Amino acid sequence: MSSENFEKSIKEGYTFKGDYITIGSCIYDNQVVADCPINIPLKTLNRHGLIAGATGTGKTKTIQVLSEQLSGKGIPVLMMDIKGDFSGIAESGVINDFIKERHDKMNLPFDPKGFPVELLTISKQNGIRLRATVSEFGPVLLSRILDLNDTQGGVLAVAFKYCDDHKIPLLDIKDLKKVLNYLTNEGKNEIEADYGRLSTSTTGAILRKIVELEQQDANLFFGEVSFDIHDLIRIDENGNGYVNILRLTDIQDKPKLFSTFMLCLLAEIYNQMPELGDSGQPELVIFIDEAHLIFKEASKALLDQIETIVKLIRSKGIGIYFITQNPTDVPNGVLAQLGLKIQHALRAFTEKDRKAIKTASENFPATAFYKTDEIITQLGTGEALITVLNEKGIPTPLVVGMMRAPVSRMDVLSPSEIDTIISHSSLKDKYNEVVDRDSAYEILNRKLAESATVSDNDKKTSPSKPAAPTKETDYMKPIIKVLTSATFIRGAFGVLTKLFKNTKSVK
């Protein structure tokens, strides 16, 4: 087909009546097509998406471009930054000859600019600390995270019910461990009366699962002050949406903690955000980098929970974008919910790689302009196969695009720049103070201490035990007591009476 037909088809497919963002320009026959921008309507950005590609093909810069464009439209972003290479979005970029030539080809402006940033953390890294209480998780979600069976999940539910009924706050991991230990030891009689018997082997299994989670530093995440998700949805004084960067570089080997946080966050957003239906633009867009870490060790129950939330959360105006090396890293149930697809180059080194490429190419709309399975291995850095959803929710024609360069810094912030951003944050005083108020751990320990004190007092006030007998008469006292009892005497007289009667009859 001619370039004229291609250009006409793409322009019709990517022209929208409502507001949109522009992420690059089309490529056809190895040439950038002038005045053929690739646009994404804001209206369908809550339909989720996938950004995939081999290492070094430009995924991070694509996320940076999308985040810049969204922030400029007043749409806040949450970026889960596992590699630690995203923080530069806070500072202006620098134009050079390569970038100028690239943007001239695309006929797109390049205006260096930084964006408002919050640096967040759930680990030991410096940042605004995100926390959630155990109670906020609830027994069902926590059971799925811990991969408990039905019996174990039932016991966990009883522990939560006990705390609710007795107004005992359940805030952090030490609270939960204390409750489980108490209900199967000192509080066993109390719990059996109202809730039934709990097996020590079952609670032991639950405690081992909790310790496993604790070893991934989950104790840093569970507790107070709980993070208010509305603090993720903020606009600065210039009308730019905040880019919230969750620093996760030290939890790459802790996938359970990562998936725990992500599922909690999505559940909390879903529960708190109002239904919006088809609004003009999303309330928040979430980018989950290295998404395979979530799915790699997730149980089936956890995967089902993630899939359910992904399906439902878009009605709340939330868009979720998974970033990974290969589309096969994402389960089919989740992949089916992703309307936008930006596929950077894949490399075919093995037979398995070739099969993965064939599968990836089949996930795109059919096209008369490209041989998808071939071009997917020939894309250069910063180039990608792209399809989005138009304003009616229909996939746009597949196109190869050259991505525009980020206008912010394409490098990480220095430690001093990171410290400056955190120290100037309006959220620092709200979340970075450690709070450990009276909760299950302290309440139950106090209860046990009071019980032990009462027991000691009872021992002191109870009658003393009889002294050990020291004389012969002392040994006789119990015998005398029996011999002089009314019961014994009546029995003895009965025997004697019979004896006299028998004697008389013999005479």
Side-chain angles (χ1 to χ4, degrees):
M1 290 196 178
S2 67
S3 60
E4 290 82 7
N5 290 337
F6 168 82
E7 190 171 345
K8 180 182 177 182
S9 173
I10 298 304
K11 281 186 175 180
E12 288 176 354
Y14 288 85
T15 299
F16 309 114
K17 295 178 181 178
D19 206 357
Y20 56 84
I21 61 175
T22 302
I23 62 172
S25 288
C26 304
I27 296 175
Y28 181 67
D29 199 19
N30 295 320
Q31 298 293 322
V32 177
V33 181
D35 299 320
C36 190
I38 301 172
N39 303 316
I40 306 174
L42 298 186
K43 186 177 181 180
T44 60
L45 278 168
N46 65 331
R47 302 294 183 92
H48 314 317
L50 173 73
I51 301 167
T55 301
T57 55
K59 297 191 299 297
T60 301
K61 299 300 177 283
T62 293
I63 307 163
Q64 195 167 340
V65 166
L66 286 167
S67 299
E68 292 173 349
Q69 295 285 307
L70 292 167
S71 176
K73 294 290 185 180
I75 301 171
V77 168
L78 172 61
M79 170 61 188
M80 299 190 188
D81 186 17
I82 289 184
K83 297 192 295 292
D85 52 3
F86 193 74
S87 59
I89 197 171
E91 297 294 331
S92 296
V94 177
I95 191 166
N96 56 36
D97 291 341
F98 175 78
I99 290 176
K100 186 176 184 307
E101 181 184 356
R102 187 183 188 91
H103 277 251
D104 286 345
K105 286 180 181 178
M106 294 186 286
N107 198 21
L108 293 174
F110 185 88
D111 181 20
K113 178 184 177 183
F115 295 84
V117 163
E118 287 287 0
L119 298 173
L120 314 174
T121 181
I122 61 170
S123 62
K124 295 178 180 178
Q125 285 189 304
N126 195 15
I128 307 304
R129 189 156 295 283
L130 272 66
R131 295 185 183 89
T133 66
V134 171
S135 291
E136 287 169 338
F137 265 71
V140 176
L141 188 57
L142 196 57
S143 292
R144 294 188 177 184
I145 289 165
L146 295 174
D147 194 20
L148 303 184
N149 60 34
D150 291 342
T151 302
Q152 294 163 348
V155 169
L156 191 64
V158 168
F160 273 77
K161 183 72 168 69
Y162 174 84
C163 291
D164 287 342
D165 291 347
H166 293 79
K167 303 295 187 291
I168 298 176
L170 201 53
L171 305 179
D172 51 30
I173 286 185
K174 73 176 187 294
D175 285 340
L176 184 57
K177 290 166 67 178
K178 188 66 183 180
V179 169
L180 289 169
N181 274 313
Y182 174 78
L183 295 182
T184 48
N185 292 290
E186 297 88 351
K188 180 170 63 174
N189 294 333
E190 179 186 358
I191 197 74
E192 284 183 8
D194 296 327
Y195 306 94
R197 186 178 180 184
L198 302 185
S199 165
T200 54
S201 61
T202 301
T203 54
I206 299 171
L207 285 166
R208 287 191 292 274
K209 295 284 185 74
I210 293 171
V211 169
E212 180 187 347
L213 188 62
E214 195 175 22
Q215 287 176 336
Q216 296 196 11
D217 289 333
N219 56 308
L220 295 173
F221 172 60
F222 286 102
E224 291 185 314
V225 175
S226 295
F227 196 84
D228 182 355
I229 61 99
H230 293 95
D231 285 329
L232 297 174
I233 308 171
R234 296 188 299 138
I235 311 296
D236 75 352
E237 63 277 7
N238 299 316
N240 295 313
Y242 267 86
V243 179
N244 304 282
I245 302 173
L246 182 59
R247 307 179 67 207
L248 298 169
T249 56
D250 59 346
I251 70 163
Q252 293 188 35
D253 58 343
K254 302 170 184 176
K256 189 171 283 292
L257 176 60
F258 183 29
S259 57
T260 297
F261 163 75
M262 195 207 74
L263 190 54
C264 173
L265 177 72
L266 295 182
E268 196 70 12
I269 290 174
Y270 178 74
N271 290 331
Q272 292 195 30
M273 293 293 290
E275 288 284 341
L276 296 177
D278 288 327
S279 59
Q281 66 180 45
E283 294 292 301
L284 175 70
V285 173
I286 302 173
F287 293 99
I288 303 173
D289 199 7
E290 303 295 331
H292 65 277
L293 292 178
I294 300 170
F295 304 114
K296 184 170 65 174
E297 294 188 14
S299 65
K300 186 180 184 306
L302 185 56
L303 290 176
D304 290 343
Q305 186 75 16
I306 293 171
E307 183 179 335
T308 299
I309 291 178
V310 169
K311 286 179 180 178
L312 299 175
I313 203 169
R314 65 185 182 92
S315 65
K316 307 280 187 166
I318 309 298
I320 303 174
Y321 291 77
F322 296 96
I323 299 96
T324 188
Q325 292 195 16
N326 198 301
T328 57
D329 295 334
V330 181
N332 288 333
V334 176
L335 197 62
Q337 305 300 317
L338 311 182
L340 176 144
K341 292 184 176 67
I342 299 177
Q343 176 68 63
H344 290 274
L346 292 175
R347 307 303 181 205
F349 298 115
T350 66
E351 181 183 355
K352 184 179 178 180
D353 293 338
R354 289 190 290 274
K355 288 180 179 178
I357 288 170
K358 187 176 186 300
T359 301
S361 64
E362 290 172 350
N363 286 324
F364 289 99
T367 175
F369 300 107
Y370 304 104
K371 292 183 178 180
T372 309
D373 58 342
E374 293 181 9
I375 204 165
I376 204 170
T377 63
Q378 300 168 4
L379 295 167
T381 301
E383 297 177 357
L385 280 163
I386 301 166
T387 181
V388 307
L389 295 180
N390 66 18
E391 291 169 308
K392 295 181 180 180
I394 301 170
T396 57
L398 181 63
V399 66
V400 174
M402 176 178 284
M403 305 299 295
R404 68 189 306 167
V407 296
S408 56
R409 185 193 294 179
M410 290 190 277
D411 199 1
V412 299
L413 298 178
S414 67
S416 61
E417 289 173 323
I418 289 173
D419 291 341
T420 299
I421 289 176
I422 295 170
S423 64
H424 286 85
S425 170
S426 61
L427 303 179
K428 177 171 64 73
D429 293 337
K430 182 177 180 180
Y431 292 113
N432 280 18
E433 181 183 356
V434 177
V435 176
D436 189 13
R437 65 183 172 99
D438 226 27
S439 55
Y441 182 81
E442 291 80 12
I443 291 170
L444 293 178
N445 274 337
R446 196 159 53 243
K447 185 174 182 178
L448 292 174
E450 290 170 357
S451 177
T453 302
V454 169
S455 178
D456 288 342
N457 290 336
D458 288 344
K459 289 178 181 177
K460 291 176 182 177
T461 58
S462 61
S464 301
K465 292 181 178 180
T470 56
K471 300 180 181 178
E472 286 187 29
T473 55
D474 291 337
Y475 288 105
M476 295 298 292
K477 284 179 181 178
I479 300 172
I480 293 171
K481 187 176 181 180
V482 171
L483 293 175
T484 58
S485 69
T487 303
F488 180 80
I489 292 170
R490 282 195 299 270
F493 274 115
V495 171
L496 290 172
T497 300
K498 289 181 180 179
L499 182 62
F500 281 122
K501 284 181 179 179
N502 293 336
T503 304
K504 289 179 181 179
S505 61
V506 170
K507 288 181 178 180

